[in-house]
């Protein structure tokens, strides 16, 4: 087994441009053996570019990319890597087992066909043509292709996007199993729930720069904001005068107040409005933290409304 | 063809040969299940040959050979070019355009295996096609070709797929998935006609006869005609021309492929 902190993949001072657009700017990112690293970020943040670089699908303008100490653009350097990418269309006239067998043939020590089918929940459809599968089943085949080579390092680019709950949970369960077996997984996703459920470590990318890095608990505490909701006759401008308050918004006749110090704010609120009712205090979620990080670091898109689901 | 029982034992190391073989095998199986490729590729040259070479051709002669024999050579070239162009251009445009090629490129698959598999596929279809035309010509068109000459023709045609696979690759690297078949048709049919593959080039207007050497299909047609005993210039000239076209198409393809990297979304 590898030692715990060994770096299996890295971007060192990597800048990548597509024409005029800078996708990544001087990014340093280390993937350590045995961890599940989630790469988060809004659309165009550079997540997929980071993954494409580590898979050798593109080369950086400057900086170094290394996977298991080698340049991933060489086919043989990818012998221990599996990848699940977003694909619009897969050749439809091959059967599920044929697709898997073809990808197994690329690897030195692949899983058996049977093991792969079981892991991806595809046993009952191994003889079906790919074109005859449903969306969720197709996604399972792509997952099967990523794991069939028995890889040490797995890249999953939005593996559960648009999936039904059953398939999503199946894939989560398999990802957990892979990590338990000591494999390393790099995951990009726009489901924060997925990050909370799976990831050891989170890297938040925005506009091609890493804006936050840490465990998901650390990311949350970086923006140690708590949320107070209440019905009050106080006006928004009144509440904003309380020094500890960092943000106020009005939501369906209730006030939403963000603060890092709940108690003094509450004391002040009750003092000013004894009739205050419907009080609710909640911890911020990873999603709040994520939005906060992205918003504060983003000048250009500051006016964007907060979305429920961030896109890739 | 035993596609159902696949020999896939676990081996200590994936041997290069097996990777190439497996890739080619599945490329062939995949293509065989696509009527949009198989039917036009195999039937169009046969139908054209029967029409022009046998039904209308009758006992006419071109130089020292009868028309049915002459057109057996040129329609072989026509068919081979179609099999290569459609296989590569449409396949590559789709797999590239829809992101499937990225999945393969992210795997440890040697990139050459991908190209070799598609080339092999075109070669197999070419061999089938030349054999079919030969059988039809012999049975119905009064073609008398020695086994040696037939094998020479078949061998030349199989090797002749290479420049057109390269052209198909170039088209596939520039075309969108939906437009690739149209691009191929727009190039393939006029080029074949002007190169004298549909009708003997001697029947075409003089200016077309002069322009033909600038078209790759012309050179494959001439090589095919030499194999059946119809003299047509020096073989090495045509081989050299096709080799030069191949290099040019491959460079073009490489350029097109690199262009992808600039346009891809971050």
């Amino acid at each position: 087994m590898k030692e715990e902190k060994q770096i299996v993949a890295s971007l060192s001072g990597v800048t990548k441009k597509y024409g005029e657009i800078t996708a990544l700017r001087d990014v340093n990112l280390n993937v350590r053996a045995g961890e599940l690293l989630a790469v988060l970020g809004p659309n165009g943040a550079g997540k997929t570019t980071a993954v494409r670089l580590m898979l050798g699908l593109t080369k950086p303008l400057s900086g170094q990319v290394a996977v298991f100490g080698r340049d991933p653009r060489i086919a043989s350097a990818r012998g221990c890597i599996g990848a699940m990418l977003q694909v619009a269309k897969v050749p439809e006239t091959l059967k599920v087992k044929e697709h898997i067998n073809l990808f197994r043939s690329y690897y030195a020590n692949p899983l058996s066909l049977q093991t792969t089918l079981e892991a991806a929940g595809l046993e009952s459809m191994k003889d079906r043509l790919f074109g005859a599968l449903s969306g969720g089943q197709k996604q399972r085949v792509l997952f099967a292709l990523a794991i069939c080579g028995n890889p040490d390092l797995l890249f999953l680019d939005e593996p559960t996007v648009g999936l039904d709950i059953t398939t999503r949970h199946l894939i989560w369960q398999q990802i957990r199993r892979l990590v338990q077996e000591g494999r390393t997984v790099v995951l990009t996703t726009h489901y924060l729930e997925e990050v909370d459920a799976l990831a050891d470590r989170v890297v938040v990318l925005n506009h091609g720069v890493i804006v936050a890095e840490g465990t998901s608990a650390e990311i949350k505490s970086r923006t140690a904001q708590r949320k107070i909701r209440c019905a009050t006759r106080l006006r928004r401008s009144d509440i904003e005068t309380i020094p500890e308050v960092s943000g106020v918004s009005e939501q369906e006749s209730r006030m939403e107040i963000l603060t890092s110090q709940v108690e003094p704010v509450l004391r002040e609120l009750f003092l000013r409005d004894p009739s205050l009712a419907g009080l609710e205090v909640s911890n911020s979620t990873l999603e709040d933290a994520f939005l906060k990080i992205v918003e504060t670091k983003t000048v250009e898109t500051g006016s964007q409304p907060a979305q429920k689901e961030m896109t890739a | 063809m035993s596609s159902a029982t696949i020999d896939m034992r676990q081996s200590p190391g994936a041997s290069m040969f097996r990777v190439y073989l497996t890739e080619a095998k599945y490329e062939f199986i995949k293509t065989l299940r696509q009527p949009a490729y198989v039917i036009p590729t195999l039937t169009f040259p046969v139908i054209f040959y029967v029409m022009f070479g046998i039904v209308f051709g009758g006992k006419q002669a071109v130089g020292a050979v009868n028309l049915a024999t002459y057109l057996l050579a040129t329609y072989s070239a026509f068919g081979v070019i179609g099999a290569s162009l459609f296989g590569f251009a449409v396949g590559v445009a789709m797999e590239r355009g829809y992101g499937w090629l990225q999945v393969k490129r992210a795997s440890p698959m040697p990139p050459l295996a991908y190209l070799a598999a598609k080339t092999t596929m075109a070669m197999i279809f070419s061999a089938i096609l030349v054999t079919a035309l030969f059988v039809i010509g012999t049975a119905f068109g009064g073609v008398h070709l020695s086994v040696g000459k037939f094998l020479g023709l078949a061998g030349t045609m199989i090797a002749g797929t290479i420049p057109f696979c390269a052209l198909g690759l170039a088209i596939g690297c520039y075309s969108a998935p939906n437009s690739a078949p149209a691009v191929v048709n727009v190039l393939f049919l006029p080029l074949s006609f002007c190169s004298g593959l549909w009708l003997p080039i001697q029947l075409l207007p003089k200016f077309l006869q002069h322009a033909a050497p600038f078209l790759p299909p012309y050179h494959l047609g001439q090589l095919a005609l030499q194999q059946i005993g119809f003299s047509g210039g020096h073989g090495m000239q045509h081989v050299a021309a096709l080799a030069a076209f191949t290099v040019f198409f491959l460079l073009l393809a490489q350029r097109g492929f690199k262009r992808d990297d600039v346009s891809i979304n971050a």
Side-chain angles (χ1 to χ4, degrees), chain A residues 16 18-19 23 48-49 52 55 57-58 75 78-79 85 87-91 93-95 97-99 101-110 112 129 145, chain B residues 3-4 6 8 10-14 19 22-23 26 29-31 33-34 94-95 98-100 102-111 261-262 264-266:
Chain A
K16 172 70 189 174
Y18 295 113
T48 300
T49 300
R52 293 183 76 240
L55 287 170
L57 292 172
T58 187
R78 299 191 296 269
L85 302 173
V87 190
K89 218 168 175 181
V90 172
T93 53
L94 280 182
K95 294 174 184 171
K97 66 175 181 192
E98 292 168 343
H99 269 302
N101 277 333
L102 178 55
F103 269 68
R104 287 176 61 244
S105 79
Y106 301 150
Y107 292 88
N109 293 299
S112 72
L129 291 181
L145 298 182
Chain B
S3 64
I6 298 143
M8 269 295 160
Q10 227 134 308
S11 67
V19 173
T22 312
E23 189 72 36
Y26 285 119
I29 294 172
K30 180 181 86 183
T31 311
R33 291 183 188 143
Q34 292 169 353
M94 298 240 307
E95 289 166 9
Y98 291 134
W100 178 237
Q102 287 218 2
V103 177
K104 293 186 86 99
R105 286 176 56 220
S107 81
M109 174 193 76
D261 199 35
V262 179
I264 211 102
N265 288 321

Side-chain angles (χ1 to χ4, degrees), chain A residues 158-178:
Chain A
E158 313 232 354
T160 63
V161 68
L163 283 186
D164 57 284
I165 290 177
T166 321
T167 308
R168 181 180 300 178
H169 282 220
L170 174 121
I171 289 182
W172 283 9
Q173 191 190 331
Q174 290 302 320
I175 293 173
R176 283 200 196 93
R177 190 184 54 79
L178 290 163

Side-chain angles (χ1 to χ4, degrees), chain B residues 47-152:
Chain B
I47 291 169
F48 287 171
Y49 177 58
V50 169
M51 253 166 49
F52 294 114
I54 297 176
V55 178
F56 301 131
K59 299 258 183 292
Q60 295 178 54
V62 187
V65 298
N66 74 358
L67 187 63
T69 310
Y70 184 100
L71 291 183
L72 168 63
T74 61
Y75 277 110
S76 293
F78 173 74
V80 160
I81 294 166
S84 309
L85 286 183
F86 281 104
F88 257 93
V90 180
V92 171
M94 298 240 307
E95 289 166 9
R96 198 189 106 259
Y98 291 134
W100 178 237
L101 190 56
Q102 287 218 2
V103 177
K104 293 186 86 99
R105 286 176 56 220
S107 81
M109 174 193 76
L112 206 56
Y114 177 79
L115 300 177
K118 282 192 157 41
T119 308
T120 307
M121 204 275 307
M123 287 177 169
I124 294 170
F125 273 89
S126 298
I128 295 170
L129 196 67
V130 176
T131 309
L133 292 174
F134 171 69
V135 169
I136 292 167
T138 306
F140 306 107
V143 171
H144 299 287
L145 220 53
S146 69
V147 174
K149 279 185 174 165
F150 165 69
L151 290 178

Side-chain angles (χ1 to χ4, degrees), chain A residues 116-132:
Chain A
T116 311
L117 289 168
E118 277 167 22
L122 288 166
E123 297 120 298
S124 61
M125 37 202 124
K126 65 177 195 294
D127 290 313
R128 288 225 227 138
L129 291 181
F130 187 86

Side-chain angles (χ1 to χ4, degrees), chain B residues 210-216 218-219 245:
Chain B
H210 291 308
F214 296 100
L215 311 176
Y218 167 80
H219 297 283
F245 276 120

